[in-house]
Amino acid sequence: MKYSFCAAAFGVASLILSANTTIAEEDICKSAGEAARAVMTQRQRDVDMSVMMEVVDKQQEIDELKKAFRQLIIAAYERPAFSTEAMQAKEIAEFVNVIQLACYKRVK
């Protein structure tokens, strides 16, 4: 399971870094965190994983970006969904922090 978190964060960070943009490293990891938050929020709402994958497939034209987002979705769905709002919020925050931590380790 830990591999999926790292793979997802590295995938997102590596893709953005390889795009030769002028985005600051902090902004890259902030964006990775925002993506992680969006994915885990849907996970906590029990959105079907197949629906999430279909959205990525339809919205992402760049294969590398599609792969990175699919890894992020897989990592989120390896973690549990909770029924209480407090536990959902905790799980979302933890997932975001794990992804951002792996990203910052990658880009620094």
Side-chain angles (χ1 to χ4, degrees):
M1 189 175 341
K2 187 175 180 180
Y3 170 77
S4 293
F5 292 129
C6 293
F10 289 164
V12 172
S14 296
L15 178 67
I16 296 170
L17 286 172
S18 68
N20 292 323
T21 63
T22 58
I23 299 173
E25 290 175 350
E26 291 79 17
D27 292 340
I28 293 167
C29 294
K30 183 178 177 183
S31 294
E34 290 169 0
R37 182 176 311 282
V39 169
M40 183 52 82
T41 297
Q42 296 306 311
R43 166 68 178 123
Q44 293 303 314
R45 292 180 180 162
D46 286 326
V47 172
D48 189 88
M49 185 178 184
S50 296
V51 171
M52 297 286 290
M53 293 296 194
E54 287 174 9
V55 169
V56 169
D57 289 343
K58 289 178 182 176
Q59 291 183 350
Q60 296 300 329
E61 295 179 9
I62 302 170
D63 287 337
E64 293 84 8
L65 189 56
K66 188 183 298 186
K67 182 178 178 182
F69 276 104
R70 289 175 70 90
Q71 289 174 339
L72 192 61
I73 292 166
I74 290 167
Y77 279 79
E78 287 181 328
R79 297 179 66 113
F82 293 95
S83 58
T84 66
E85 287 185 30
M87 287 302 294
Q88 290 173 348
K90 184 177 179 180
E91 183 64 22
I92 291 166
E94 184 177 326
F95 185 70
V96 169
N97 285 328
V98 167
I99 295 299
Q100 286 182 326
L101 177 61
C103 178
Y104 282 116
K105 285 181 175 181
R106 172 74 170 98
V107 298
K108 297 289 180 188

